[in-house]
């Protein structure tokens, strides 16, 4: 197997899909507290999909009782999804990686996007996808109950070379919500085999390290249009391997202060409040205990980010 070929050149983290204890309760929380609108719902999958216009969903909230969940599935991340430029790029990367022996779990036609799914070296599921329509809201809204059509990359259809991802979309605000999330920006994972995971996301998925190396305590990797999309941390006492947090950009620091003032009345505790030169960042937990990070960038540059110690970085990148 070729050891250094990146198959994809992702633009950014497009969404995360979370297994939640109850998808209707989770939607209420992600609407009332996090500040996302529901774009569409799939009752047959027991899932709600939320966004404010950044893309066709920033988060999937999939019930642990969904047919996609394993028996006794606990709340956790199901997959993280990276957006690539075009379907043609997706299919070429997929085919090259298959030729090199990479194995995929499945492929999917989501109407708005075509996707391939594989596992990283520690079993976290990664989706790589390309939007296949520009007006995604025409195919993803309201209640959707339908079987997904089969999609065989490069066979079912001639892969499109169009760039269909949203460019500068208008972002809505859920005014009455505690936080005013603009969009998902990042996911952080704690990993046992840091070097192997670093190399997988750099050399196979195609993210670019902007802070850290395979030997450092933590690393931050970017897509080509990204914002610090993906962080890796070594395990430490109290941290189990797997997702550590999912992060969202909010409007500005005054808006973040407004959010903080509303938390006590909701009975929500701040788990960590980081004020670093690179970023202001507040973390809370959702009803299932998943850690959510809300941030406003300050001097968000690799040189300033790299001044964070690992404990700060754990709650700020
Ligand atoms: Fe997905």
């Amino acid at each position: 197997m070729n050891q250094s070929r990146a198959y994809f050149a992702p633009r950014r983290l497009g969404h995360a899909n979370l297994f939640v204890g109850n998808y209707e309760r989770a939607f209420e929380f992600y609407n009332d507290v996090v500040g996302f609108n529901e774009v569409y719902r799939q009752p047959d999958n027991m899932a709600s999909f939320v966004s404010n216009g950044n893309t066709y969903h920033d988060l999937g909230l999939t019930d642990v009782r969904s047919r996609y969940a394993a028996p006794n599935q606990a709340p956790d991340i199901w997959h993280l999804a990276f957006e690539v430029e075009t379907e043609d790029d997706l299919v070429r990367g997929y085919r090259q990686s298959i030729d090199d022996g990479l194995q995929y779990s499945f492929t999917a036609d989501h109407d708005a996007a075509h996707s391939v799914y594989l596992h990283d070296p520690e079993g976290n599921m990664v989706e790589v996808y390309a939007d296949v329509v520009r007006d995604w809201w025409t195919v993803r809204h309201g209640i959707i109950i339908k079987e997904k059509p089969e999609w065989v990359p490069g066979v079912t259809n001639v892969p499109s070379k169009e760039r269909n991802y949203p460019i500068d979309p208008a972002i809505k605000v859920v005014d009455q919500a505690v936080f005013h999330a603009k969009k998902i920006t990042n996911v952080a994972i704690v990993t046992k085999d840091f070097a192997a995971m670093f190399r997988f996301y750099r050399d196979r998925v195609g993210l670019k390290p902007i802070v850290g190396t395979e030997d450092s305590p933590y690393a931050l990797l970017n897509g080509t249009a990204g914002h610090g999309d993906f962080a890796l941390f070594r395990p430490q006492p109290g941290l189990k391997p797997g997702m550590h947090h999912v992060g969202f950009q909010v409007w500005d620091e005054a808006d973040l202060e407004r959010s903080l003032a509303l938390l006590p009345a909701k009975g929500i505790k701040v788990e960590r409040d980081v004020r670093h030169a690179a970023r202001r960042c507040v973390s809370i937990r959702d009803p299932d205990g998943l850690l959510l990070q809300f941030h406003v960038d300050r001097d968000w540059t690799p040189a300033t980010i790299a001044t964070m110690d690992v404990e700060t970085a754990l709650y700020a990148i």
Side-chain angles (χ1 to χ4, degrees):
M1 186 185 283
N2 185 318
Q3 290 300 309
S4 63
R5 182 167 11 180
Y7 300 111
F8 307 101
R11 297 186 70 245
R12 58 175 180 167
L13 178 77
H15 65 261
N17 199 311
L18 307 176
F19 281 125
V20 295
N22 177 308
Y23 82 104
E24 291 165 307
R25 180 186 69 179
F27 165 67
E28 296 296 327
F29 178 87
Y30 281 84
N31 183 238
D32 289 346
V33 175
V34 179
F36 278 123
N37 288 290
E38 182 169 79
V39 178
Y40 60 104
R41 181 173 286 211
Q42 294 177 333
D44 56 338
N45 292 343
M46 303 184 77
S48 168
F49 298 85
V50 301
S51 175
N52 287 331
N54 172 50
T55 181
Y56 76 108
H57 61 287
D58 286 56
L59 286 175
L61 305 168
T62 303
D63 202 291
V64 293
R65 298 163 295 173
S66 166
R67 58 185 150 108
Y68 288 110
N72 303 315
Q73 174 69 52
D76 200 348
I77 196 166
W78 174 17
H79 61 259
L80 61 164
F82 295 106
E83 174 190 88
V84 298
E85 290 276 344
T86 70
E87 185 190 20
D88 191 59
D89 290 346
L90 177 71
V91 171
R92 280 190 290 109
Y94 174 81
R95 283 181 161 169
Q96 287 167 3
S97 61
I98 294 269
D99 288 347
D100 284 354
L102 216 61
Q103 295 192 330
Y104 287 78
S105 299
F106 60 101
T107 63
D109 177 345
H110 299 296
D111 299 326
H114 289 168
S115 305
V116 300
Y117 296 81
L118 71 166
H119 288 97
D120 73 18
E122 293 194 344
N124 305 290
M125 186 175 276
V126 179
E127 173 184 355
V128 185
Y129 74 95
D131 287 0
V132 293
V133 299
R134 287 195 185 172
D135 47 354
W136 54 260
W137 48 91
T138 63
V139 292
R140 280 289 180 272
H141 61 269
I143 301 292
I144 297 178
I145 300 175
K146 62 173 287 198
E147 290 298 317
K148 291 189 186 291
E150 182 186 39
W151 179 62
V152 181
V155 174
T156 303
N157 61 294
V158 176
S160 169
K161 295 185 176 180
E162 294 289 312
R163 292 177 165 84
N164 291 309
Y165 49 78
I167 297 173
D168 268 341
I171 302 292
K172 295 177 192 148
V173 178
V174 181
D175 286 323
Q176 74 279 10
V178 173
F179 290 96
H180 289 158
K182 291 172 76 172
K183 58 184 178 181
I184 188 172
T185 51
N186 54 299
V187 164
I189 284 182
V190 176
T191 170
K192 285 183 289 195
D193 192 342
F194 188 94
M197 288 279 278
F198 182 92
R199 290 194 295 266
F200 175 83
Y201 282 94
R202 181 190 62 185
D203 300 341
R204 302 300 172 82
V205 178
L207 298 175
K208 300 280 183 255
I210 57 170
V211 175
T213 68
E214 64 183 68
D215 300 316
S216 58
Y218 68 87
L220 185 63
L221 297 93
N222 237 9
T224 57
H227 197 71
D229 304 80
F230 182 69
L232 285 170
F233 290 90
R234 295 179 188 276
Q236 53 180 281
L239 284 187
K240 65 178 189 339
M243 186 180 81
H244 185 264
H245 62 259
V246 54
F248 309 97
Q249 187 180 61
V250 299
W251 288 86
D252 53 39
E253 295 204 37
D255 191 59
L256 192 56
E257 291 294 343
R258 183 203 53 81
S259 305
L260 282 170
L262 296 173
L263 286 174
K266 292 278 185 183
I268 297 169
K269 287 195 306 190
V270 173
E271 175 138 338
R272 196 66 62 100
D273 186 346
V274 175
R275 298 158 192 254
H276 187 271
R279 179 176 268 184
R280 174 76 192 278
C281 197
V282 170
S283 296
I284 65 167
R285 292 199 180 269
D286 84 353
D288 291 306
L290 304 177
L291 191 63
L292 309 180
Q293 177 217 71
F294 300 89
H295 61 256
V296 178
D297 293 339
R298 292 176 168 173
D299 181 24
W300 186 247
T301 58
T304 303
I305 299 165
T307 65
M308 292 182 192
D309 59 31
V310 67
E311 183 63 19
T312 302
L314 198 53
Y315 288 89
I317 68 171

